[in-house]
Amino acid sequence: MNSLTAKMLVAYLVGVVLTVATLVLVFDGVASWRGTVYFDEDISEFAEELSEKLVFDAAGTPIGFNEEARQYDWMYAKLKDDLAYRLLDASGRVVLASPASQAFWAASGPGARRLKQGNFSFEYAGQSMRGATEVVRNGGRDWYFQQAGSARLFELFHLEYAMPFMSKGMGLFATTLLLVFGVCAYLTLRRVLRPLHEVSASAAAISPRSVHGRLQVDRVPTEIVPLVESFNRALDRLERGYRVQQEFLATAAHELKTPLALIRAQVELMAEGRGPDLLLQDVEHMTRQVQQLLLLAEASETQNYAFTPTDLEAAAGRPSTT
């Protein structure tokens, strides 16, 4: 689980699951709600949709519905005790009506009292009925379209038809979200992480012979740029240290070369009877140079010393005036 790709994919899957779970909970809450507002909205939308399909003659009198609305005639004929409509004029006279019984609309009260837009309710045959009135204006006259239906009918529509359809749609949505966006997320991660693999390969190629090399940040994601720049600065410090060591080795080789040559010459002269004094002097000189080089190497390493306050007069051998 240290893989960035794996973590992001797991986060994506968790997000998808939580999203779908939230939608399911909301869907279940809506499906289990049986308030009057729920039915009022349905019946109002149904009444508005059907009133827009009214057909008027040349005199401006409504004569029926268009072809699209007539496909619902069978519902009003078969469900006349649970679903009905009627169209009233300004005086409350019925102009058009579905084949409902007289008792159906009688239970709702006089039609003249419903001549305003809005919802109403009544009881019929032991069932709770919800109704809505829509005002239709045509040719300077107002017509009042009333739509009424039983609560049990709308519950049947929702529970047996709308809800299963929405459940299948939600399942299809979740599957599509998981597959399509999952593949997109995986491909995007591969594309985003490709520069990181290139940077990693460049870092692996850096060696003492190519210590001057640096990692490129052109294609690196913005969030990773500070890390790459910090690594480059670390390489700068390593290169400086490496250069100092190289210069130290070159200096040491040069400083030791001359005393060794002198010692060789003195040894050769000793064979002719010369004394060892000059030889010892050269050995002492070379020893002093080696000691100086060692001290220089130690001083170049910060872990070998620590800064502390120093009395310069005491260090110079003179008594302090304070």
Side-chain angles (χ1 to χ4, degrees), residues 13-320:
L13 292 176
V14 171
V16 170
V17 171
L18 291 178
T19 300
V20 174
T22 302
L23 290 175
V24 169
L25 291 176
V26 173
F27 173 77
D28 183 67
V30 172
S32 59
W33 183 30
R34 296 294 180 266
T36 58
V37 176
Y38 179 74
F39 297 118
D40 285 343
E41 290 181 354
D42 284 343
I43 200 68
S44 296
E45 291 177 1
F46 197 9
E48 180 180 3
E49 179 183 355
L50 200 59
S51 65
E52 293 174 353
K53 297 178 173 57
L54 284 169
V55 177
F56 296 83
D57 60 13
T61 302
I63 57 176
F65 296 92
N66 59 19
E67 291 291 338
E68 184 180 357
R70 282 201 290 267
Q71 63 180 329
Y72 302 122
D73 289 345
W74 66 271
M75 287 195 309
Y76 293 98
K78 298 296 184 181
L79 304 172
K80 58 184 179 180
D81 288 330
D82 289 278
L83 186 65
Y85 70 82
R86 65 180 177 178
L87 182 66
L88 309 175
D89 60 13
S91 64
R93 183 175 61 89
V94 178
V95 180
L96 294 174
S98 63
S101 62
Q102 294 183 353
F104 184 95
W105 289 110
S108 68
R113 294 192 309 175
R114 308 297 181 189
L115 299 185
K116 61 180 180 178
Q117 185 162 333
N119 293 95
F120 57 90
S121 62
F122 60 96
E123 295 288 330
Y124 171 70
Q127 295 295 322
S128 176
M129 311 296 290
R130 307 297 299 180
T133 302
E134 289 290 329
V135 180
V136 182
R137 291 180 174 86
N138 182 269
R141 299 176 62 186
D142 290 340
W143 306 87
Y144 301 89
F145 182 82
Q146 294 181 343
Q147 173 80 46
S150 65
R152 66 180 179 184
L153 178 62
F154 280 88
E155 286 184 357
L156 178 66
F157 284 160
H158 279 276
L159 297 179
E160 299 297 329
Y161 298 100
M163 295 304 178
F165 178 78
M166 292 179 63
S167 299
K168 293 179 181 179
M170 187 174 296
L172 181 61
F173 168 75
T175 303
T176 303
L177 185 68
L178 187 63
L179 295 179
V180 176
F181 283 88
V183 172
C184 291
Y186 176 74
L187 295 178
T188 301
L189 285 174
R190 287 192 58 183
R191 183 178 181 83
V192 169
L193 296 179
R194 186 180 304 166
L196 297 183
H197 294 299
E198 295 175 356
V199 169
S200 177
S202 300
I206 296 176
S207 65
R209 295 182 179 274
S210 60
V211 72
H212 59 279
R214 295 295 181 270
L215 304 181
Q216 301 298 321
V217 298
D218 298 338
R219 299 180 55 196
V220 176
T222 305
E223 294 78 7
I224 309 298
V225 169
L227 175 62
V228 177
E229 291 178 343
S230 299
F231 185 78
N232 284 336
R233 288 193 292 269
L235 289 178
D236 291 337
R237 295 190 293 271
L238 290 175
E239 182 182 9
R240 287 195 295 269
Y242 181 75
R243 298 301 181 193
V244 170
Q245 290 183 354
Q246 292 295 314
E247 293 174 0
F248 172 76
L249 291 176
T251 302
H254 177 73
E255 294 293 335
L256 294 176
K257 183 177 180 180
T258 300
L260 288 175
L262 294 175
I263 292 174
R264 181 182 179 86
Q266 293 298 329
V267 171
E268 292 176 351
L269 291 175
M270 286 179 62
E272 300 177 0
R274 304 289 294 271
D277 295 338
L278 295 177
L279 178 61
L280 293 176
Q281 183 179 356
D282 291 336
V283 170
E284 182 179 355
H285 176 67
M286 186 176 67
T287 301
R288 185 168 60 252
Q289 289 182 333
V290 170
Q291 184 63 31
Q292 290 175 348
L293 292 174
L294 290 175
L295 290 175
L296 179 61
E298 291 179 357
S300 64
E301 300 294 336
T302 57
Q303 69 269 17
N304 292 332
Y305 59 88
F307 292 99
T308 57
T310 303
D311 188 344
L312 295 180
E313 292 184 354
R318 289 186 296 180
S320 176

